[in-house]
Amino acid sequence: MPTISELKDFDRSSGSRFERLIFNHRLFVIIACALATLVLGWQATRLTLNAAFDKTIPHHQPYIKNFLEHRGELRGLGNAVRVVVENKRGDIFEPAYLQALKLINDELFLTPGVDRANVKSLWMPVVRWNEVTEEGFTGGPVMPDNYAGSPRDIEQLRQNIARAQIQGSLVGNDYKSSMIFVPLADKDVRTGASLDYWALSQRLEEIRTKYSNAQGGADVEIRIVGFAKVVGDLLDGLKQMVVFFAVAAVIAAAIIFGWTRCVRSTSLVLAASLIAVVWQLGLVTVLGYELDPYSVLVPFLVFAIGVSHGAQKMNGIMQDVGRGTHRLVAARYTFRRLFLAGLTALAADAVGFAVLMLIDIPVIQELAITASIGVALLVVTNLILLPVMLSYTGVSPKAAARSLRAEQREEGGVWKLLERFTERRWAIGAIVCSAFLALGGFAVSTHLKIGDLDVGASELRPQSRYNLDNAYITGKYALSSDQFAVIVKTPAEGCLGYETLIETDRLGWALQQVPGVQTTISLADAVRKITAGSYEGSSKWLSISPNQDVLNYAARTASTSNPDLFNNQCSVMPVVAYLADHKAETLERVVKAADEFARAHSTPDRQFLLAAGSAGVEAATNIVVKEANTTMLLYVYAAVIALCFITFRSWRAVVVAVVPLAITSVLCEALMVALGMGVKVATLPVIALGVGIGVDYALYLLSIQLAQQRAGASLAEAYRQALRFTGKVVALVGITLAAGVITWAWSPIKFQADMGILLTFMFVWNMLGALVLIPALSHFLLARVGQPAASTPQAPATQSCALAQGVVQQAA
């Protein structure tokens, strides 16, 4: 394109109709974007942070369908919080401790969002004891009636706890703590709104702070576990993400300024990317979405992607200005060269987000929607608004001259080294080393697990308050919070049938044989104990009687002592297995045993349905994640291959572009194994994002290289031109993207730190793989591109240089 230093010499009617629409109405574009920023910025201030239990589970998975269908009938197996109150100076039988426990119980009972009818603790009348006497069964609430704290009352409480056999469930094994079981409703019964987990977590922390200090002679320590508390801690950790965002912006600014030495252009690149983030957050609010611990990372990615693509537009304008072109003309030239190429690159970025919609987990689907909105907005802010703003401000003349000199001189050092990979010996060495890395990475990646590999909440750091609380409860209580429930469904009153109870008892026995299962509880266990109790406690009657009257009596008695064992119609009852942990291997073993039993013993009148409980939901999620991991990779690579083929129109070029991505994906899975990470909801999106964004490097380099080869240049010369014009830009993009996410590694939220480490690895290795493997693979697959044209007259050197410069801008 000709160098035009005077605006009057430029033909304003040149360019496409869309270009004329934008640049002949620049002021309107600026005003419209400013108004949109004000409106959407105001909307962004109304954005809320929250998370919902239902959004983290795959609603269409068969196990989850069974759970949701019978959710209201499975009391105690849904979303719940367990609050353990420890006496730091003695045991639970001290009057001061019991008074503090009562106050804590009352405050939890009245907390919004609590399913009050099913709260359990020493102070709740639903927690009862039963005893066999000469006159038959007798019983009552564990907490004595008219308790006044006297020694007699304390002794009575001690006896009732023993009779109720709640040591290890509601009372610690060492009698130094007791538990308050707090089931939660999905919606606030007063307003109908979804449960506000952040408000609930803050309320729990207020109660913890209020009673953890010695009051009234009691010195207690409060420990809290459950999904709601995990989410609350995650949301609290998001406050620090604002700091990380600021650090990422400073790092990106330093990288771009160090490259350009131009304050105005650096500021505008950052401003355009920040405007995209503001618009994104505003639109998310308008569409009724919330930010959760997963989607809160998306603005970071949008900002990093925006900065990297904005640098390309700034680079084009800076080069033209350095040649003496007027800033408005330079902006139009850059827009003319880069808009379609930039749109293609952003489409590749969007692919990595779009495939996440295939995952049947609402929180991931909302992440995909939020990210897609952000990428779409980058088309406006970085491909349209940024060139328009630079057409007004221009760039620093010194910076433009420096950029032109750097472009025109031959590069040495690392760039000369990279050029040698077009030679056969170096190409073979690079491919062989890459093959060894890929094979070694694949061998390691075969050990990649699905699901959690750690005890406690893997979303949080091992030394977090939550995981320390969880470790205490696991060590002091016999029954863990990891419950896997098989739902036994029968016709009305069918759960009392002899055959049904026998089969239920057999299922419990089968699950108890699985490593990792602590114990099981079902109606069959209660019936056996009550039957024996009805006959003076004789162990000979510790069985399930075929007499229906005996079974009916046992069930009526069980309904008062433990109403969670079956529903009101006696058509649904759970068999609950308490697991030692929720690691992937444990869940796989339990699911296999339960599924085999269900397939062998289900009948039309008696169905064994998987699964409920926290561990059951997680097992179902793991199944979906495992299936989605393969499907997602197939779709993202299919989309990237199609995009590359449309761009390059050569299957050989597609292979050259995709092979580095595939090797990086394999190495990323090997890194997950080395770092002890499993594939789960938090880490599942990483590889798709890395592939979708990482293909940009190949688009930059191969477009230049192929254009040069088709113009008659040799492979070595074509790659030299590609390195000269885009080598630094490719490196800048990789470093900028990595800098935008590496700050996550210091997040108090472990899964965010894991995502930061994995994305940084993929961004950097995709960049290095593109710089090294593209010339090496091109030596064998693309060396003959343009050879038939070698006999035609070559363009003069100046024309070749101009062609290269134009292609550079287009490929960026």
Side-chain angles (χ1 to χ4, degrees):
M1 295 182 182
T3 299
I4 300 177
S5 57
E6 297 293 334
L7 193 57
K8 59 183 177 60
D9 298 329
F10 179 71
D11 183 6
R12 291 179 176 268
S13 63
S14 63
S16 66
R17 180 178 300 178
F18 186 59
E19 176 191 329
R20 296 195 301 271
L21 178 65
I22 296 298
F23 285 93
N24 291 345
H25 304 86
R26 291 184 297 161
L27 185 59
F28 175 79
V29 171
I30 295 291
I31 294 174
C33 290
L35 290 176
T37 303
L38 290 175
V39 173
L40 293 176
W42 177 75
Q43 290 289 343
T45 61
R46 303 167 57 192
L47 185 65
T48 58
L49 291 173
N50 199 13
F53 176 74
D54 283 357
K55 289 185 178 181
T56 63
I57 59 179
H59 287 231
H60 296 92
Q61 207 277 340
Y63 296 174
I64 300 299
K65 284 184 176 180
N66 294 334
F67 165 65
L68 295 177
E69 181 181 352
H70 304 96
R71 189 177 198 172
E73 301 165 306
L74 300 172
R75 296 181 292 269
L77 290 176
N79 190 11
V81 170
R82 289 169 169 80
V83 180
V84 169
V85 184
E86 176 194 6
N87 189 352
K88 298 172 65 176
R89 296 181 180 176
D91 57 28
I92 64 172
F93 301 109
E94 294 183 1
Y97 168 85
L98 290 171
Q99 181 61 28
L101 179 67
K102 181 178 185 301
L103 295 175
I104 296 169
N105 179 87
D106 292 345
E107 294 213 29
L108 290 171
F109 183 82
L110 297 174
T111 298
V114 170
D115 181 7
R116 295 168 185 166
N118 294 299
V119 174
K120 296 179 182 178
S121 78
L122 293 180
W123 282 98
M124 298 304 295
V126 296
V127 179
R128 301 175 63 85
W129 61 272
N130 288 285
E131 185 179 45
V132 179
T133 66
E134 295 177 354
E135 299 177 355
F137 276 102
T138 184
V142 169
M143 183 59 65
D145 295 331
N146 302 319
Y147 169 86
S150 66
R152 181 179 179 180
D153 293 335
I154 296 295
E155 183 59 30
Q156 185 66 51
L157 174 63
R158 189 188 300 271
Q159 293 180 12
N160 291 348
I161 290 175
R163 291 166 174 168
Q165 299 180 359
I166 56 175
Q167 183 183 5
S169 56
L170 287 179
V171 174
N173 291 325
D174 56 2
Y175 289 102
K176 293 183 178 297
S177 65
S178 66
M179 179 183 294
I180 305 174
F181 176 76
V182 187
L184 302 175
D186 298 319
K187 297 184 180 295
D188 192 323
V189 295
R190 299 172 303 172
T191 64
S194 298
L195 182 61
D196 188 337
Y197 284 92
W198 201 351
L200 175 62
S201 178
Q202 290 174 329
R203 175 60 179 160
L204 293 175
E205 286 300 326
E206 290 174 1
I207 295 174
R208 191 206 301 263
T209 302
K210 179 178 179 180
Y211 292 99
S212 290
N213 300 321
Q215 292 187 5
D219 187 7
V220 300
E221 178 75 15
I222 299 177
R223 307 176 189 274
I224 308 171
V225 297
F227 173 81
K229 195 66 188 75
V230 172
V231 171
D233 289 351
L234 292 178
L235 294 173
D236 286 336
L238 296 183
K239 297 177 182 177
Q240 299 186 25
M241 297 302 288
V242 177
V243 178
F244 295 147
F245 193 102
V247 172
V250 171
I251 293 174
I255 292 172
I256 294 180
F257 179 76
W259 179 52
T260 63
R261 308 292 178 85
C262 178
V263 174
R264 72 184 81 168
S265 57
T266 300
S267 301
L268 289 180
V269 168
L270 295 176
S273 301
L274 287 173
I275 288 172
V277 172
V278 171
W279 288 6
Q280 176 196 31
L281 298 179
L283 284 176
V284 166
T285 305
V286 171
L287 295 175
Y289 292 108
E290 300 172 319
L291 279 187
D292 54 57
Y294 300 91
S295 61
V296 75
L297 303 176
V298 173
F300 283 75
L301 286 175
V302 171
F303 176 79
I305 295 170
V307 168
S308 64
H309 285 280
Q312 303 299 325
K313 316 307 173 286
M314 178 185 62
N315 178 56
I317 294 174
M318 186 169 290
Q319 289 181 354
D320 282 334
V321 171
R323 297 185 184 94
T325 302
H326 188 276
R327 60 180 179 270
L328 173 57
V329 178
R332 293 191 64 161
Y333 282 173
T334 299
F335 180 87
R336 191 174 301 174
R337 298 162 179 156
L338 290 178
F339 182 77
L340 290 179
L343 192 62
T344 303
L346 286 175
D349 298 339
V351 165
F353 295 115
V355 295
L356 298 179
M357 290 294 296
L358 300 173
I359 304 172
D360 181 30
I361 300 177
V363 71
I364 299 298
Q365 293 176 338
E366 290 189 8
L367 182 150
I369 294 172
T370 303
S372 299
I373 291 173
V375 172
L377 293 174
L378 287 176
V379 174
V380 179
T381 59
N382 289 69
L383 301 189
I384 297 176
L385 179 60
L386 180 58
V388 169
M389 291 191 296
L390 286 171
S391 71
Y392 281 108
T393 64
V395 297
S396 167
K398 292 183 179 180
R402 185 184 301 109
S403 174
L404 186 62
R405 289 195 301 271
E407 174 197 334
Q408 291 176 340
R409 69 171 179 265
E410 289 289 334
E411 299 290 349
V414 66
W415 309 110
K416 196 69 175 179
L417 177 65
L418 290 173
E419 183 185 331
R420 300 193 67 177
F421 285 104
T422 59
E423 302 172 8
R424 177 172 291 271
R425 184 181 64 174
W426 285 73
I428 292 175
I431 293 174
V432 170
C433 289
S434 299
F436 275 113
L437 280 175
L439 290 174
F442 178 77
V444 175
S445 68
T446 57
H447 300 285
L448 186 64
K449 301 295 184 181
I450 304 295
D452 287 335
L453 304 183
D454 303 313
V455 297
S458 59
E459 297 87 352
L460 301 171
R461 298 283 187 179
Q463 298 303 315
S464 66
R465 176 66 183 268
Y466 181 94
N467 280 329
L468 293 177
D469 287 352
N470 184 78
Y472 174 88
I473 295 173
T474 302
K476 300 296 184 181
Y477 287 77
L479 301 182
S480 73
S481 59
D482 296 318
Q483 300 173 325
F484 183 95
V486 178
I487 305 166
V488 183
K489 184 177 181 180
T490 68
E493 304 299 328
C495 72
L496 296 178
Y498 173 73
E499 291 294 336
T500 297
L501 289 173
I502 287 293
E503 292 293 332
T504 301
D505 193 48
R506 288 171 178 167
L507 172 59
W509 173 256
L511 292 177
Q512 289 175 26
Q513 311 314 305
V514 178
V517 175
Q518 295 175 331
T519 188
T520 61
I521 293 178
S522 70
L523 177 60
D525 299 314
V527 167
R528 186 188 297 108
K529 294 177 182 178
I530 293 171
T531 300
S534 301
Y535 293 90
E536 300 180 350
S538 173
S539 58
K540 294 180 180 181
W541 287 92
L542 197 62
S543 62
I544 299 174
S545 172
N547 186 296
Q548 191 61 51
D549 292 333
V550 173
L551 297 180
N552 292 342
Y553 173 76
R556 286 196 301 271
T557 305
S559 66
T560 59
S561 60
N562 195 344
D564 296 343
L565 294 178
F566 56 93
N567 67 344
N568 294 333
Q569 290 76 34
C570 199
S571 60
V572 173
M573 60 178 175
V575 179
V576 183
Y578 291 87
L579 310 184
D581 54 62
H582 56 267
K583 293 182 179 180
E585 297 91 340
T586 304
L587 295 180
E588 288 175 0
R589 291 193 297 265
V590 175
V591 167
K592 181 180 179 181
D595 185 62
E596 289 177 353
F597 186 94
R599 292 177 183 274
H601 295 266
S602 290
T603 66
D605 292 332
R606 180 175 55 251
Q607 297 178 352
F608 295 91
L609 306 175
L610 279 65
S614 58
V617 170
E618 187 161 354
T621 303
N622 288 350
I623 293 172
V624 171
V625 167
K626 184 176 182 178
E627 295 172 350
N629 188 39
T630 302
T631 305
M632 180 189 65
L633 285 178
L634 290 176
Y635 275 98
V636 72
Y637 271 104
V640 167
I641 288 172
L643 182 63
C644 289
F645 188 81
I646 292 172
T647 303
F648 302 133
R649 303 299 176 90
S650 167
W651 69 267
R652 297 174 182 270
V654 171
V655 173
V656 172
V658 171
V659 166
L661 297 178
I663 293 176
T664 302
S665 296
V666 171
L667 293 178
C668 182
E669 291 188 350
L671 178 64
M672 292 176 66
V673 175
L675 296 179
M677 301 179 190
V679 181
K680 49 190 177 181
V681 174
T683 56
L684 183 61
V686 171
I687 294 179
L689 298 180
V691 173
I693 298 173
V695 75
D696 288 358
Y697 307 131
L699 290 173
Y700 297 152
L701 287 170
L702 271 179
S703 295
I704 304 286
Q705 175 186 311
L706 291 174
Q708 287 288 300
Q709 287 183 262
R710 288 163 180 163
S714 65
L715 174 60
E717 182 182 352
Y719 189 65
R720 184 186 311 119
Q721 294 291 342
L723 283 178
R724 175 182 297 178
F725 297 121
T726 62
K728 285 186 176 180
V729 179
V730 165
L732 179 75
V733 169
I735 293 172
T736 303
L737 287 171
V741 296
I742 190 59
T743 54
W744 302 355
W746 288 273
S747 171
I749 302 174
K750 187 176 182 297
F751 81 80
Q752 289 180 348
D754 292 344
M755 290 184 71
I757 293 171
L758 295 178
L759 283 173
T760 300
F761 175 84
M762 295 198 74
F763 290 155
V764 172
W765 273 89
N766 277 327
M767 175 191 71
L768 295 177
L771 291 172
V772 172
L773 283 180
I774 283 180
L777 293 170
S778 296
H779 176 84
F780 295 98
L781 296 175
L782 300 176
R784 295 183 179 276
V785 173
Q787 290 302 311
S791 60
T792 60
Q794 298 296 312
T798 55
Q799 292 180 2
S800 179
C801 184
L803 172 64
Q805 292 166 356
V807 173
V808 167
Q809 305 299 336
Q810 185 177 5

